[in-house]
Amino acid sequence: METGVYGAAKAGGSFDLLDFLKRPETILRLLSAVFALIVFACILTDGYVNKPDQSTLICIFNANMDACHYGIGIGVLAFLGALAFLGLDVYFPTVSNVNTRKYIVISDLGFAGLWCFLWFVGFCFLANQWASTTDLAVTGADNARAAIAFSFFSILSWFPLASMAFKKYRMGVDDFNTSYMDPNLSPRLALLQLPGCRQRQLPAAAVHTKRRDRRRLQAARILSPPA
């Protein structure tokens, strides 16, 4: 299992493409992007038809234009969002700031949870409108069924992503490792990043060392003969 801050390795590690492609998050994001692409592509290509006696295009889902618009809208945004968070997954291990990682994980959790809900609504909406469609022999019926099916598959891909993001958020810093520091910082700046130093307080070990040095200096002055 991955260790580090918010479920990723600590900053400074090397990037391994093969390991990245094998990660469950990567596979699920790619599947989510493909499913979204299929949904909005099916609706765009054969989702709008016209009857022989009409020249106006109507939506194949019970002539409800909102159904087509909804499917295309969430499909396009889900496709772009999956690719965007896939890019953030590549960038995430290089982020040394804990708060930045936290915001990325929260954004991932919110987006995945929202789109899991929107895909559920879309699946129910499209399935209901298709069940109410009277002319099932129209051109594009297979594409309509494919859009409904892959809307359901999208729920199955976004829900695990939301669960993984929630797990990362709960994980936070492994074992509450507050001593994590940016490896690129100098030792002096790294020391100042410790919790006690932010309030201008030295860590306990540093305080004890400083006190011992002071006592030794005082003892040496007392024991040393006068000039």
Side-chain angles (χ1 to χ4, degrees):
M1 182 177 176
E2 291 179 316
T3 59
V5 183
Y6 287 99
K10 295 180 180 179
S14 59
F15 176 75
D16 191 330
L17 179 60
L18 185 60
D19 289 341
F20 176 75
L21 294 176
K22 291 180 180 179
R23 294 172 67 248
E25 292 93 338
T26 304
I27 297 173
L28 287 172
R29 292 198 199 283
L30 291 175
L31 288 176
S32 299
V34 171
F35 294 162
L37 176 64
I38 293 174
V39 171
F40 76 78
C42 287
I43 299 176
L44 278 176
T45 53
D46 290 324
Y48 296 95
V49 296
N50 60 320
K51 295 183 178 180
D53 56 340
Q54 296 179 356
S55 59
T56 305
L57 292 176
I58 60 173
C59 180
I60 196 174
F61 292 98
N62 197 30
N64 189 342
M65 299 297 287
D66 291 336
C68 288
H69 294 163
Y70 185 88
I72 294 173
I74 64 171
V76 171
L77 293 177
F79 177 76
L80 297 176
L83 295 182
F85 279 101
L86 186 63
L88 283 176
D89 286 343
V90 177
Y91 170 72
F92 192 76
T94 65
V95 178
S96 59
N97 188 281
V98 177
N99 287 330
T100 303
R101 288 193 172 195
K102 178 182 177 181
Y103 297 144
I104 293 176
V105 171
I106 292 176
S107 301
D108 186 13
L109 173 60
F111 189 87
L114 176 61
W115 247 254
C116 182
F117 172 75
L118 292 178
W119 277 122
F120 175 76
V121 174
F123 167 73
C124 296
F125 187 24
L126 295 179
N128 176 265
Q129 292 301 308
W130 182 248
S132 303
T133 303
T134 55
D135 189 5
L136 297 180
V138 296
T139 303
D142 291 338
N143 281 9
R145 296 187 184 96
I148 296 173
F150 283 95
S151 295
F152 177 76
F153 295 154
S154 295
I155 302 173
L156 302 181
S157 64
W158 282 101
F159 181 77
L161 286 173
S163 300
M164 292 177 183
F166 181 71
K167 186 177 180 180
K168 286 182 180 179
Y169 179 75
R170 291 289 301 271
M171 183 186 306
V173 182
D174 285 351
D175 299 327
F176 200 67
N177 186 13
T178 56
S179 63
Y180 172 73
M181 292 172 289
D182 189 345
N184 297 321
L185 293 177
S186 64
R188 181 180 178 85
L189 293 178
L191 181 63
L192 293 176
Q193 272 199 338
L194 293 175
C197 296
R198 293 176 182 175
Q199 285 78 28
R200 296 184 178 179
Q201 299 175 358
L202 291 174
V207 172
H208 294 327
T209 302
K210 188 174 181 180
R211 288 177 179 175
R212 285 197 301 267
D213 294 341
R214 186 181 301 170
R215 290 172 183 173
R216 289 175 181 174
L217 180 59
Q218 291 176 353
R221 288 177 178 176
I222 293 174
L223 297 176
S224 60

